[in-house]
Amino acid sequence: MDPAKPAHAIKKAAEKTARAAVDKAADLLEPPVPGAPGPLTPSLEEPTEPVEPLGPKRDQEQPDLRTATGGEPGPDGRAQQGAFLTTATGTRLYDTDHSLKAGERGPTLLQDHHLREKVTHFDHERIPERVVHARGAAAHGTFVGYGTASEVCQAQFLAEGVETPVFVRFSTVLGSRGSADTVRDTRGFATKFYTSEGIFDLVGNNIPVFFIQDGIKFPDVIHAGKPHPDREIPQAQSAHDTFWDFVSLHTEAQHHTMWNMSDRGIPRSYRTMEGFGVHTFRLTNPDGGTALAKFHWKPRLGVHSLTWEEAQLLGGLDPDFHRRDLYDAIEAGAFPQWELGIQVFEDTPDQMFDGIDLLDPTKIVPEEQAPVQTIGMLTLDANPTNFFAEVEQVAFHLGHLVPGIDVTDDPLLQARLFSYVDTQLSRLGGPNFDQIPINRSHAPVNDMLRDGFHQHAVHAGVAPYRPNSLDGGCPFVAGAADGAFVESPVTVAASTKVRDAPASYDDHFSQVRLFWDSMSPVEKEHIIRAYTFELGKCYEQAIKERQLQALANVDPTLCAEVAAGLGLPAPEPTLEPVATDPSPALSQVGQTWPADGRMVGVVVDPAGDLAALPAVRRALLAANVLPLVIAPVGGMLPDGTAVQRTFLTARSVEYDALLLLGCPPPGSDALPARDAKAGAGTDAPAVDPRISLMLEEAFRHCKAVAGTGYGAVLLNGLGYDGTAGVVTDDDADGVVEQLLTLMASHRAWERFPASVG
């Protein structure tokens, strides 16, 4: 009995006694013959009228409904129960610091059951990490349908105003769980919708194309991208020989590679990252009509990236930068949002659109040719309670579909349908991974799947098969009118079994050229630098030359610039470059976006004038921007304001902009022996050298910089005033207003003109 809830126990005992009395009275009238397999006498004919599950026989009882921690079902039932330390089975413990010994200095006894339980559980705490997407972060949220998809898709969660709980996991691809967040890599964007019709998993990336066209090559591309097997280096990087050996030989990978070498490969934040379903899906409307569609996630804050130097610095300063940014923003109430959109295409027999093969996962359909129609809003508003239980154990699967959404014959998608389930069997210990709390459906489940490792359900009945009569025919199959998932009745053309691909898959360069032509000059500079850096890390000369040949088939300027950086001649193209019409939607530059959840470093001099600080903080907070006060030491400023960062702990890469309210002299810890950022100059500087370094880095990374009062004097003295993206104003409100305007463009790229057009 639970001593905290005696009434519950008494009531349950009374109900059991009363039920037993009723059963006993019935037995006296007509004693049952023991051995009936189920609670119902079966009919001679197969039952045709659906009934609910029958439940146990009179002589049976199920375990009391409790959570894994012995709690009553409810919001807090899964967390720890009670104030005292217990064993896994709830026995209270008086000591957990000393093993049971034969005397104080004697050997440890084998009978110490608590020691064995504690150490055994510790030895088995880790499960195999994901082969890919091991490094991730996730959050809870809600999706609200707009109703605009109703003409093409019957899925209920897309109906107007329908709110659906979601769990979204973001991740890198190549790195292990302990790798850094800010590496150059593709990012996963996986969303689990807990719909009223069952689970729907939209498992995509922040890049709309993939390296390969056929899933049979997936082990190959991952083996090539992972660290070299002999030295297990480099970690979480593609800048090595095996990766470039693969992609230069499999030129179908050039499109994805170009996206990876662009700024898309180093997002500023998960909150400023697009998501794509990658594949083409088939949608069914309420009338049975079908259409083909591609899914898009559009961030409300726009698509922004880190500079390469910022990414490298953050790899050492804060390897958890992206997950910290996500969790801090949610905690601060700056809830990330994305609109879900679809590109819709006619479901034609050839499954082509404007000459683009919709089943080729290495191709996009430019948004200018097929606009993205928004169909709902995703908001992430709650962080996980336990990282392992939720983020690590969440299991996605492309086969988790709901009525109205079906797969197509994309050969990469087809292989993923097998691979995801197969992976969970290894990682999560058996076939019942869908019963882990984070994976559980919010719709009723009656699946006839039984037993296996980690079975949490206690199934009643004796007939987990169909048809049956012993359980009254339950479970019954549902028809389309009952909300059943019905595969689209697509005609499969008569053909011969082959290991081949259609001719439309042979074009490996036109869309790579489209992406390059769509970039702004500064983005092209970043792509050139990325290729030069990555190929410069390769050892084998032949691999560099082979990849340069692929770039020559994309664009002669790109090839020539990268070749010059590698000290190699630029080869002539082997294919005639295809003329393209640029797609502005592919560029991250040229628009303005909300600054919600951005961080501004506010530098102050505690000994100076702090009068403007309260107004500055209020104005930034009112704009949903987080001001972090940076001072020589921690604690409180003379005016009572809390200090969030010190000159020792602050670095420019943490902030989206800098605002100087003072001109602080060197702090007492501005010593090279204590803080290398203090420099090693012999002359005593007038300003703390760490602030000068912070300004220099922010300026170099094209971030907005502002100053008022003595902060403006400092910027003028350093020669920054009048430069693009730098503002000074004697009025604190005015300088904040100008700073927010600059932040809306993310960066002042015009500060450093590009050399390529």
Side-chain angles (χ1 to χ4, degrees):
M1 180 186 296
D2 184 348
K5 297 177 179 174
H8 167 78
I10 293 171
K11 179 181 178 183
K12 182 177 179 183
E15 290 173 347
K16 183 175 180 180
T17 301
R19 188 169 62 249
V22 172
D23 292 344
K24 182 67 174 176
D27 292 348
L28 291 174
L29 295 174
E30 187 177 345
V33 178
L40 180 74
T41 300
S43 62
L44 182 61
E45 303 297 329
E46 177 186 342
T48 57
E49 189 68 27
V51 297
E52 294 293 319
L54 296 181
K57 298 192 298 178
R58 291 185 301 173
D59 62 307
Q60 297 173 334
E61 185 168 319
Q62 297 184 356
D64 191 16
L65 190 58
R66 292 280 175 162
T67 68
T69 54
E72 297 280 355
D76 301 320
R78 294 174 184 164
Q80 301 94 319
Q81 306 291 313
F84 297 102
L85 177 68
T86 73
T87 65
T89 54
T91 303
R92 293 181 180 179
L93 294 164
Y94 73 92
D95 187 297
T96 191
D97 296 325
H98 304 91
S99 55
L100 191 65
K101 308 179 188 71
E104 292 181 353
R105 300 177 62 80
T108 299
L109 299 177
L110 184 62
Q111 74 178 66
D112 190 347
H113 59 91
H114 175 46
L115 167 68
R116 284 186 286 121
E117 178 186 75
K118 187 175 180 180
V119 174
T120 298
H121 198 281
F122 172 77
D123 290 343
H124 295 268
E125 278 184 0
R126 295 294 174 264
I127 64 175
E129 69 175 33
R130 291 168 169 87
V131 176
V132 289
H133 298 277
R135 173 71 175 182
H140 298 272
T142 302
F143 177 83
V144 179
Y146 290 166
T148 50
S150 59
E151 292 186 3
V152 294
C153 186
Q154 64 178 326
Q156 292 181 10
F157 78 98
L158 297 176
E160 184 176 2
V162 173
E163 295 187 12
T164 302
V166 297
F167 190 69
V168 181
R169 186 176 188 270
F170 307 102
S171 56
T172 53
V173 173
L174 292 177
S176 67
R177 275 193 66 191
S179 58
D181 278 348
T182 59
V183 295
R184 182 181 293 281
D185 196 2
T186 306
R187 267 46 178 202
F189 193 131
T191 307
K192 185 176 291 292
F193 296 83
Y194 303 93
T195 86
S196 61
E197 299 178 288
I199 296 288
F200 171 54
D201 286 344
L202 181 55
V203 194
N205 290 330
N206 73 321
I207 291 176
V209 293
F210 203 63
F211 288 106
I212 52 175
Q213 295 168 322
D214 193 313
I216 199 169
K217 295 183 182 180
F218 190 76
D220 302 321
V221 67
I222 297 303
H223 288 164
K226 284 286 189 177
H228 291 200
D230 53 349
R231 302 186 179 191
E232 187 64 12
I233 56 174
Q235 174 61 238
Q237 296 181 56
S238 55
H240 55 89
D241 289 76
T242 57
F243 174 81
W244 288 100
D245 185 37
F246 181 89
V247 300
S248 61
L249 289 169
H250 290 77
T251 51
E252 68 197 69
Q254 291 296 315
H255 194 188
H256 190 130
T257 303
M258 176 71 81
W259 280 75
N260 245 14
M261 294 303 105
S262 77
D263 291 344
R264 302 275 185 151
I266 42 175
R268 157 62 180 83
S269 164
Y270 292 137
R271 298 180 294 125
T272 61
M273 191 175 79
E274 271 186 303
F276 303 90
V278 179
H279 308 288
T280 299
F281 291 81
R282 178 169 280 107
L283 307 183
T284 305
N285 66 23
D287 298 326
T290 62
L292 301 179
K294 286 182 174 290
F295 289 102
H296 295 249
W297 289 112
K298 297 289 187 181
R300 192 177 70 86
L301 301 180
V303 186
H304 310 298
S305 298
L306 297 167
T307 68
W308 180 229
E309 185 183 21
E310 284 179 312
Q312 291 177 304
L313 288 169
L314 283 165
L317 292 166
D318 188 1
D320 308 305
F321 181 71
H322 281 154
R323 69 169 56 174
R324 190 188 313 279
D325 172 87
L326 175 67
Y327 294 146
D328 284 354
I330 292 173
E331 185 179 0
F335 300 142
Q337 291 185 311
W338 291 260
E339 281 195 299
L340 179 62
I342 50 175
Q343 288 178 297
V344 180
F345 318 100
E346 184 181 353
D347 191 358
T348 57
D350 62 2
Q351 298 172 96
M352 303 281 287
F353 178 82
D354 269 8
I356 300 169
D357 192 329
L358 296 176
L359 299 187
D360 184 349
T362 68
K363 303 292 194 302
I364 65 167
V365 177
E367 294 182 26
E368 292 74 19
Q369 294 174 243
V372 175
Q373 306 169 44
T374 55
I375 60 174
M377 174 70 81
L378 165 69
T379 303
L380 298 183
D381 56 11
N383 289 322
T385 298
N386 183 279
F387 194 89
F388 175 80
E390 298 166 79
V391 183
E392 279 304 300
Q393 291 197 125
V394 66
F396 296 96
H397 173 35
L398 281 86
H400 288 163
L401 299 164
V402 292
I405 304 175
D406 202 354
V407 298
T408 56
D409 295 336
D410 173 343
L412 177 61
L413 173 57
Q414 294 283 315
R416 292 178 73 193
L417 287 166
F418 167 80
S419 178
Y420 278 65
V421 171
D422 196 45
T423 295
Q424 314 308 343
L425 296 176
S426 174
R427 286 197 68 246
L428 300 175
N432 293 311
F433 57 85
D434 284 322
Q435 295 185 23
I436 295 171
I438 192 63
N439 297 322
R440 288 177 182 169
S441 173
H442 291 199
V445 175
N446 192 349
D447 55 18
M448 296 199 304
L449 306 176
R450 295 294 186 267
D451 307 338
F453 282 112
H454 316 304
Q455 176 58 260
H456 292 268
V458 182
H459 295 101
V462 296
Y465 53 84
R466 291 198 74 260
N468 74 72
S469 62
L470 291 173
D471 282 350
C474 185
F476 289 80
V477 295
D482 303 308
F485 177 86
V486 180
E487 289 81 5
S488 300
V490 178
T491 300
V492 178
S495 59
T496 304
K497 288 189 294 186
V498 294
R499 291 189 183 273
D500 205 348
S504 57
Y505 279 38
D506 293 339
D507 175 11
H508 297 166
F509 293 103
S510 64
Q511 289 213 335
V512 195
R513 174 63 182 254
L514 167 67
F515 186 85
W516 170 258
D517 286 344
S518 302
M519 295 295 99
S520 65
V522 68
E523 290 171 307
K524 289 183 176 181
E525 292 283 5
H526 295 168
I527 291 172
I528 291 168
R529 187 225 22 245
Y531 274 110
T532 306
F533 175 88
E534 297 246 336
L535 292 172
K537 286 285 188 176
C538 291
Y539 179 87
E540 296 293 348
Q541 198 78 348
I543 293 174
K544 300 178 187 180
E545 294 176 1
R546 192 189 309 134
Q547 180 58 33
L548 284 175
Q549 183 63 68
L551 295 183
N553 290 337
V554 175
D555 182 81
T557 300
L558 170 61
C559 179
E561 294 290 334
V562 174
L566 297 174
L568 295 172
E572 292 297 319
T574 57
L575 299 172
E576 185 69 27
V578 179
T580 66
D581 294 322
S583 171
L586 300 180
S587 174
Q588 297 181 198
V589 177
Q591 299 185 59
T592 58
W593 304 94
D596 296 19
R598 297 298 187 94
M599 291 189 291
V600 174
V602 182
V603 179
V604 301
D605 177 4
D609 185 5
L610 299 176
L613 181 57
V616 163
R617 294 185 71 248
R618 282 196 301 270
L620 290 172
L621 289 169
N624 213 14
V625 173
L626 181 63
L628 295 177
V629 176
I630 307 171
V633 296
M636 308 293 285
L637 296 175
D639 69 349
T641 303
V643 174
Q644 282 88 31
R645 300 289 188 273
T646 67
F647 295 172
L648 175 68
T649 62
R651 198 69 186 259
S652 70
V653 287
E654 186 179 3
Y655 316 112
D656 296 286
L658 286 179
L659 175 54
L660 278 70
L661 301 186
C663 182
S668 59
D669 63 342
L671 308 170
R674 185 173 300 176
D675 186 354
K677 298 196 303 296
T682 55
D683 298 330
V687 180
D688 191 295
R690 293 166 295 185
I691 298 303
S692 299
L693 174 63
M694 191 181 304
L695 275 171
E696 177 192 336
E697 287 179 344
F699 186 81
R700 194 165 65 240
H701 300 151
C702 297
K703 292 179 177 177
V705 178
T708 187
Y710 283 108
V713 174
L714 172 59
L715 292 177
N716 293 335
L718 294 174
Y720 290 136
D721 188 36
T723 309
V726 179
V727 295
T728 57
D729 198 313
D730 291 335
D731 175 57
D733 290 335
V735 82
V736 170
E737 183 178 351
Q738 295 178 71
L739 182 65
L740 291 172
T741 300
L742 288 171
M743 290 175 65
S745 299
H746 184 58
R747 297 184 194 263
W749 294 119
E750 66 274 19
R751 187 176 293 163
F752 304 114
S755 64
V756 294

